[in-house]
Amino acid sequence: EAQVTQNPRYLITVTGKKLTVTCSQNMNHEYMSWYRQDPGLGLRQIYYSMNVEVTDKGDVPEGYKVSRKEKRNFPLILESPSPNQTSLYFCASSFTYKGLAGAKNTGELFFGEGSRLTVL
Amino acid sequence: ILNVEQSPQSLHVQEGDSTNFTCSFPSSNFYALHWYRWETAKSPEALFVMTLNGDEKKKGRISATLNTKEGYSYLYIKGSQPEDSATYLCAFTTSGTYKYIFGTGTRLKVLA
């Protein structure tokens, strides 16, 4: 079954304790990205990756790191979590294709189940 | 900062009613407009991806239109059913970047 898997699904931690949220997809997608969902705000992009070893900042990257050592995995790292990082996090992946002008483009996003993180 | 706006924020309709929502986005540097359906306790799922001005897409009772010149898209649901209750998100992508800018969503509740 095609899927994006995130772990953990729920986590309560304390300020400053490093944590990693894993994300894995089995669809051979080149593109992967992380979002956070907060009440009253839309999904906001944290980081994205167009391929192995290629990552770039989204709109809210502060306090987060990512790595893309393998195509299927894209972990989100919080080196020193703070209470303002309490949120619902989604990982997503997409296929890429060449558009009319030859540039690479991405398609619809396939989302993981979400990880609800609470930082005390 | 690019902004995507959705309206209304929420609405309640009776079973059998038809309804529609709006997504407004910047018309410059447009590449694609996505609609996602997000049910409570689940993850968002793609409904439509549209790239061309005038695009119309349909899936069962749900359809969408796109106007890239004026920067809006409509999502229509015909004959709403309780299982249509969800939050409907739109997202905009620009040419040459790989960022997805999401609206805050329209929360639909269909009353039986």
Side-chain angles (χ1 to χ4, degrees):
Chain A
E1 183 192 348
Q3 58 187 1
V4 179
T5 304
Q6 295 178 227
N7 277 297
R9 297 286 312 280
Y10 302 91
L11 179 64
I12 300 175
T13 190
V14 295
T15 298
K17 186 175 180 183
K18 180 180 177 179
L19 70 93
T20 299
V21 186
T22 63
C23 174
S24 181
Q25 50 91 7
N26 63 2
M27 295 170 277
N28 202 36
H29 284 165
E30 284 188 302
Y31 181 87
M32 297 186 75
S33 58
W34 277 102
Y35 302 84
R36 60 179 288 173
Q37 168 70 43
D38 300 295
L41 299 174
L43 287 165
R44 291 182 294 166
Q45 194 166 29
I46 304 171
Y47 269 95
Y48 61 94
S49 169
M50 277 300 283
N51 214 328
V52 174
E53 302 292 1
V54 180
T55 63
D56 213 341
K57 295 177 182 178
D59 290 324
V60 288
E62 295 78 20
Y64 304 94
K65 284 173 62 175
V66 292
S67 70
R68 188 93 182 271
K69 294 188 169 65
E70 305 164 282
K71 196 173 187 179
R72 63 185 291 126
N73 296 323
F74 190 45
L76 180 71
I77 303 153
L78 286 74
E79 293 270 1
S80 183
S82 61
N84 65 12
Q85 293 178 297
T86 291
S87 189
L88 176 61
Y89 291 87
F90 283 102
C91 178
S93 70
S94 180
F95 54 86
T96 59
Y97 62 94
K98 282 237 177 105
L100 287 173
K104 198 178 269 192
N105 287 294
T106 55
E108 66 186 79
L109 293 171
F110 293 80
F111 284 89
E113 314 97 317
S115 297
R116 188 165 291 282
L117 172 64
T118 301
V119 183
L120 301 174
Chain B
I1 294 178
L2 297 173
N3 206 33
V4 174
E5 295 186 1
Q6 292 188 245
S7 62
Q9 267 192 323
S10 66
L11 74 161
H12 292 70
V13 301
Q14 291 294 132
E15 183 175 357
D17 286 352
S18 293
T19 187
N20 65 84
F21 329 130
T22 305
C23 173
S24 300
F25 54 87
S27 53
S28 61
N29 214 22
F30 171 87
Y31 182 74
L33 193 284
H34 299 227
W35 281 100
Y36 293 86
R37 172 191 158 87
W38 186 9
E39 290 181 74
T40 304
K42 294 188 178 180
S43 47
E45 290 186 351
L47 287 170
F48 306 113
V49 180
M50 295 179 287
T51 56
L52 297 175
N53 184 43
D55 253 354
E56 291 188 21
K57 300 253 179 165
K58 188 173 180 185
K59 189 182 284 190
R61 293 178 292 99
I62 304 178
S63 60
T65 61
L66 178 67
N67 183 323
T68 61
K69 293 188 191 314
E70 294 179 49
Y72 65 83
S73 174
Y74 293 137
L75 187 79
Y76 300 93
I77 302 180
K78 188 176 175 183
S80 303
Q81 299 296 308
E83 57 265 30
D84 295 328
S85 297
T87 297
Y88 292 83
L89 302 171
C90 70
F92 159 79
T93 62
T94 57
S95 180
T97 75
Y98 306 107
K99 292 186 176 182
Y100 290 70
I101 311 296
F102 280 85
T104 52
T106 292
R107 185 179 297 178
L108 173 67
K109 176 79 172 172
V110 182
L111 306 168

